[in-house]
Amino acid sequence: DRLKPLVADADPVLLSILAGVPMHRYYDGLGLSKIARSMPNTPGQIGAGVTVWTKNAAAAFSDDEVVLCREALKAMGTEIFVEDESFIDLSTSISGSGPAYVFMFIEALADGAVRAGLPRKAALALAAKTVRGAATMVLETGKHPGELKDQVTSPGGTTIAGVHALEQGGMRAAVMNAV
């Protein structure tokens, strides 16, 4: 209600970054039609995020207004436009919550290395840079992660032994269940 007088005589574009607040809440509460809804993630704080967004398809956004939304979101990293608002909530479980899962994985990699005798600082750097490099390979090669994994796993080698240990621990199921 406090915002309503601020937008009463204007035709603003509202770009929401609030998790779980659907566009209809803004229509109903403020009477606005030019609503863009987004879900940024915490790596956006350092310009390395990914933000999924959409806009009210029934509203008459100008090309400049769409560009303004894109550019605002690009300030946090990559922006991905989706037509269907329901994809915003679905993507939250990946890009919104996903950084926590990746942080846990990095921590676990580093803890495993510390357990084996590597100093904490070196272990953490190796783990974080390994995750960054692997993610970059997926994005830049366009290859399926399974194919890239298979390129690292030699028959009877240490990598396939580690993959087996992760599978025994239910890693894939645990990640899929988290999402």
Side-chain angles (χ1 to χ4, degrees):
D1 285 337
R2 291 180 294 171
L3 292 176
K4 210 169 197 175
L6 299 173
V7 297
D9 296 326
D11 187 24
V13 172
L14 177 70
L15 175 55
S16 171
I17 61 167
L18 299 177
V21 181
M23 289 189 286
H24 75 81
R25 296 266 309 269
Y26 297 108
Y27 316 139
D28 298 344
L30 298 172
L32 298 176
S33 64
K34 291 183 185 176
I35 309 295
R37 180 177 171 208
S38 68
M39 183 64 236
N41 65 4
T42 56
Q45 295 173 36
I46 60 166
V50 60
T51 303
V52 177
W53 73 286
T54 193
K55 64 181 179 57
N56 176 10
F61 280 79
S62 71
D63 290 344
D64 287 344
E65 290 168 333
V66 172
V67 167
L68 184 62
C69 289
R70 284 188 189 285
E71 293 303 314
L73 297 172
K74 281 182 183 178
M76 295 182 281
T78 302
E79 55 81 26
I80 298 173
F81 179 80
V82 293
E83 294 287 340
D84 187 332
E85 184 179 9
S86 69
F87 293 157
I88 301 294
D89 292 332
L90 294 171
S91 69
T92 298
S93 63
I94 301 169
S95 62
S97 302
Y101 312 151
V102 174
F103 298 147
M104 290 174 68
F105 182 73
I106 291 169
E107 181 182 36
L109 275 178
D111 284 349
V114 169
R115 180 174 177 238
L118 201 62
R120 168 75 54 194
K121 187 175 179 179
L124 189 56
L126 283 168
K129 290 176 185 284
T130 297
V131 169
R132 180 177 64 191
T136 301
M137 274 190 81
V138 169
L139 293 170
E140 290 189 7
T141 66
K143 292 181 178 179
H144 188 278
E147 180 182 353
L148 294 169
K149 174 196 53 98
D150 289 349
Q151 291 175 3
V152 180
T153 54
S154 304
T158 58
T159 303
I160 195 63
V163 168
H164 183 251
L166 291 172
E167 290 293 351
Q168 283 182 315
M171 179 187 164
R172 292 167 55 89
V175 170
M176 291 171 70
N177 288 337
V179 172

